[in-house]
Amino acid sequence: MGDIKGFMKYPRQDFKKEPAAERVRHWKEFYLEMADEDLRHQGGRCMDCGVPFCQSGCPINNIIPDWNDLVFKGRWQEAVERLHKTNNFPEFTGRVCPAPCENSCVLAINQPAVTIKNIEVSIIEKAYREGWVKPVSPQHRSGKKVAVVGSGPAGLACADQLNRAGHDVTVYEKNEVLGGLLALGIPDFKLEKWVMERRLKRMAQEGVKFKTGAHVGVDVPAQDLVKRYDAVVLCGGAEQSRDIPVPGRELRGVHFAMDFLTRQNRINQGQKVPANEHISAEGKKVVVLGGGDTGSDCIGTAKRQGAVVVKNFELLSRPPTQRSADNPWPHWAFIERTSTSHEEGADRDYGVLTKKFSGENGVVKKLHAVWLEFGPKDPATGRSAMKEIPGSEFEVEADLVLLALGFLGPVKNGLLNDLGVPMDERGNVKTDANKMTSIAGVFSAGDMRRGQSLVVWAIQEGRSAAEGVHRYLTSELVRKT
């Protein structure tokens, strides 16, 4: 490493942020860039640890120590080349990934981890500014055609890899814009859409074809793709939102989180959403159910829309502030985390079970709930039994309730049912080790195959599926009789 004592000389320094009171007035990203010299010092904190657990903690096995060292030495162009060896979209992961690599950083055993995520996004943004990120088309084409269904991170990573291998790739997207949840699910204050459009433009220049407004299984018959293409990769995501079966669920004002987020993203992109379809938190008392990233995104969006108050209820117990004895390094730390949206103002409570909603004239007005208590963890499952605390029932006023309770897997109607692909025990698309389904030439990747997960896992899935497709296309299996 460039400075073997850097971790002792330089303290961790994170990106500065606009104050919460200022950033809720707009929809743009609010992290402030760091000077190159400060970034060099942060790269210098990367230790000569011998076994870089950060790489195993990263789903795409980024070669993190190498580009930390290159940044410390000021060799930025080499750093982005090393970064692109494993990550198709570092500008996405550098913004929205929760950085499992930092949880696995050796320095994190007893000190703040290296700022891996911040260094990553700084490398790629400097590369774009300097003109180092240029379209590179494959020198030879195989003559094989591949259809990728879905333009989220898994579909885009798969398409990018297959195009580089020389195959002709067409990406089908049911929505009017490309990007999947990157475009319509993640708010602009976490990922401005020009960031994604910049990468998509480069992919198009390299030869990837995109078709928007093409809903396979609805507008485009699924079997047509199987007949027309040498391989089809299903990357449609896990869009089946988890519902809450309680009295009053039918009241107006109780919505799935993704319906709320996608409508606002469309407005931010200049689209017109009919007044009767727009879901606004302006002037309302909002309750967000669910303590994950989607719930956090709802909080930040509601604050920017002008919510009067935002409450956030989580079913599970409050996580510890530090690692527990049964959650050692280098595993992901199951601790309480405060997102930037939480910083902007939300009352958080844990161990809350929603019992019902009540309202007036068909519109929700109150959420009724009860507090829970939790028993010891079951060694077999790692879960704690929970039961209602007698007499702890309470109610809160709610003009808008947002259900951010996770996802149950891919939507089955349409594409998947038409193709007849088998499902696993969790309701996701079942594949073999090459990501191929039981139908020859039909593959799957991302949340549709893995279940709800992280953007970085989606990229890994897409890259892995591309390897399987390439092996298939270059084997005897693709020879049609």
Side-chain angles (χ1 to χ4, degrees):
M1 307 306 294
D3 189 343
I4 60 174
K5 294 184 179 181
F7 68 96
M8 295 188 289
K9 292 164 58 177
Y10 309 118
R12 178 181 171 108
Q13 183 180 350
D14 285 297
F15 285 161
K16 293 182 180 179
K17 299 171 287 189
E18 286 185 35
E22 294 180 14
R23 64 186 189 241
V24 295
R25 298 175 183 173
H26 63 78
W27 294 94
K28 296 183 180 297
E29 296 175 19
F30 47 77
Y31 285 100
L32 308 179
E33 291 187 5
M34 187 179 288
D36 282 4
E37 187 65 17
D38 292 330
L39 286 164
R40 284 187 64 250
H41 291 164
Q42 293 306 298
R45 295 184 72 238
C46 187
M47 307 167 66
D48 186 12
C49 58
V51 180
F53 282 86
C54 56
Q55 289 184 211
S56 58
C58 174
I60 51 178
N61 303 119
N62 274 328
I63 315 169
I64 295 164
D66 282 16
W67 39 261
N68 280 340
D69 183 48
L70 290 167
V71 166
F72 177 77
K73 294 174 178 175
R75 293 156 57 181
W76 290 86
Q77 190 166 1
E78 292 176 66
V80 75
E81 291 170 358
R82 197 62 52 90
L83 184 54
H84 269 144
K85 284 183 180 295
T86 54
N87 191 349
N88 303 70
F89 314 121
E91 62 269 46
F92 304 162
T93 54
R95 286 173 164 85
V96 302
C97 180
C101 53
E102 294 188 18
N103 277 243
S104 300
C105 174
V106 173
L107 187 56
I109 294 175
N110 61 357
Q111 291 189 44
V114 175
T115 54
I116 298 169
K117 178 179 173 180
N118 291 352
I119 293 172
E120 177 183 34
V121 73
S122 298
I123 292 171
I124 187 60
E125 289 305 320
K126 187 176 184 68
Y128 273 113
R129 287 195 301 270
E130 298 294 334
W132 298 332
V133 184
K134 298 177 181 178
V136 180
S137 300
Q139 294 182 349
H140 303 284
R141 287 290 179 181
S142 67
K144 302 298 182 182
K145 298 190 300 180
V146 183
V148 176
V149 181
S151 67
L156 292 178
C158 183
D160 196 28
Q161 293 294 104
L162 288 170
N163 182 65
R164 292 180 186 181
H167 307 301
D168 292 315
V169 183
T170 302
V171 178
Y172 288 80
E173 170 55 53
K174 68 178 180 180
N175 292 304
E176 71 284 2
V177 293
L178 298 166
L181 289 186
L182 293 172
L184 294 176
I186 296 177
D188 282 15
F189 56 82
K190 289 175 64 175
L191 176 67
E192 289 186 47
K193 303 312 173 240
W194 62 264
V195 175
M196 185 178 52
E197 291 164 1
R198 179 179 60 183
R199 178 64 70 168
L200 290 167
K201 180 180 179 181
R202 178 190 168 186
M203 290 178 64
Q205 291 172 335
E206 292 176 340
V208 178
K209 304 176 186 69
F210 296 102
K211 293 182 179 291
T212 56
H215 195 170
V216 180
V218 178
D219 305 319
V220 180
Q223 293 294 343
D224 281 5
L225 295 190
V226 176
K227 294 175 182 177
R228 290 167 50 198
Y229 291 89
D230 298 297
V232 177
V233 191
L234 311 178
C235 302
E239 296 185 321
Q240 188 68 56
S241 297
R242 187 188 301 276
D243 209 339
I244 182 169
V246 298
R249 170 62 181 89
E250 74 286 351
L251 292 169
R252 296 195 301 278
V254 182
H255 301 277
F256 286 121
M258 293 313 303
D259 292 337
F260 174 65
L261 294 172
T262 54
R263 283 165 172 76
Q264 184 59 54
N265 273 321
R266 285 190 163 97
I267 291 171
N268 289 347
Q269 293 178 44
Q271 300 183 39
K272 291 185 178 180
V273 174
N276 63 329
E277 295 182 13
H278 181 44
I279 305 171
S280 176
E282 184 177 3
K284 295 180 180 178
K285 297 174 182 177
V286 180
V287 177
V288 179
L289 298 181
D293 289 339
T294 304
S296 172
D297 292 346
C298 287
I299 293 168
T301 300
K303 294 294 291 185
R304 283 161 178 77
Q305 288 183 344
V308 174
V309 64
V310 181
K311 294 183 179 293
N312 185 200
F313 293 149
E314 167 59 52
L315 177 69
L316 303 177
S317 61
R318 182 183 294 272
T321 56
Q322 301 292 330
R323 287 181 183 270
S324 58
D326 60 352
N327 179 213
W329 174 91
H331 297 291
W332 174 259
F334 291 101
I335 59 175
E336 184 176 21
R337 290 176 166 83
T338 299
S339 72
T340 56
S341 292
H342 292 132
E343 293 172 356
E344 293 162 5
D347 299 326
R348 275 198 290 177
D349 279 306
Y350 295 84
V352 175
L353 174 65
T354 300
K355 300 293 289 185
K356 67 175 183 177
F357 305 112
S358 61
E360 298 174 4
N361 300 318
V363 180
V364 69
K365 290 298 179 183
K366 290 183 179 180
L367 178 147
H368 304 259
V370 63
W371 296 100
L372 299 173
E373 62 181 359
F374 298 83
K377 284 186 178 180
D378 183 334
T381 64
R383 298 177 180 176
S384 300
M386 56 186 181
K387 62 179 181 179
E388 299 178 17
I389 300 175
S392 67
E393 295 82 1
F394 69 98
E395 59 186 43
V396 295
E397 295 182 353
D399 304 309
L400 175 63
V401 178
L402 301 172
L403 308 180
L405 306 172
F407 301 86
L408 297 175
V411 175
K412 310 299 189 299
N413 292 335
L415 169 65
L416 297 182
N417 284 346
D418 288 353
L419 288 176
V421 295
M423 301 291 160
D424 63 18
E425 63 278 1
R426 297 175 58 215
N428 301 316
V429 175
K430 186 177 181 180
T431 68
D432 61 17
N434 287 320
K435 304 295 192 292
M436 188 162 72
T437 69
S438 60
I439 303 172
V442 177
F443 298 75
S444 185
D447 289 2
M448 180 170 270
R449 192 201 75 88
R450 178 185 174 84
Q452 178 191 2
S453 192
L454 307 175
V455 168
V456 69
W457 269 114
I459 294 173
Q460 191 277 341
E461 284 271 313
R463 290 172 65 91
S464 178
E467 291 181 15
V469 173
H470 182 65
R471 281 192 291 268
Y472 173 78
L473 293 177
T474 54
S475 72
E476 292 183 353
L477 290 174
V478 79
R479 296 177 186 173
K480 298 182 178 179
T481 58

